[in-house]
Amino acid sequence: MTTVWLVDRQFDSKGLVRLTYATEDGERMHTKELAEQRLVTGDGITAGREVEETALGESPADEVERFASEASKMAAEHDLDDTV
């Protein structure tokens, strides 16, 4: 399992939220989509999560630096299971 940290969330017009988690070096990422309603009724979004290596993709080259910065901040300020 690999630890990834929340680095981005995007809302779309269809009521979906795309969460992007990345490794602290910003090189690898994992995305998860969920219904916006789940943000209200669910357990919330965690600062980080553990994912299988096979669930990780390569981060876009133009996002690696930003993802690394955001992931490092999240890791320094939050526990993995903190709701953010």
Side-chain angles (χ1 to χ4, degrees):
M1 298 290 268
T2 301
T3 301
V4 291
W5 297 93
L6 184 66
V7 296
D8 191 56
R9 59 180 114 190
Q10 296 176 352
F11 297 82
D12 74 9
S13 61
K14 298 176 186 172
L16 291 177
V17 180
R18 173 176 270 205
L19 304 173
T20 302
Y21 291 84
T23 54
E24 280 190 72
D25 64 6
E27 297 286 333
R28 310 275 290 156
M29 61 178 264
H30 171 75
T31 58
K32 178 179 178 178
E33 286 187 347
L34 57 115
E36 189 174 351
Q37 182 64 27
R38 186 151 176 233
L39 295 178
V40 178
T41 61
D43 295 334
I45 297 170
T46 58
R49 56 188 314 174
E50 296 285 334
V51 297
E52 295 288 339
E53 183 68 28
T54 57
L56 293 172
E58 213 172 293
S59 297
D62 62 338
E63 293 285 18
V64 170
E65 190 175 315
R66 182 175 75 88
F67 284 0
S69 175
E70 292 296 325
S72 294
K73 274 195 265 189
M74 289 296 271
E77 296 174 6
H78 297 281
D79 290 330
L80 203 59
D81 59 353
D82 283 353
T83 301
V84 294

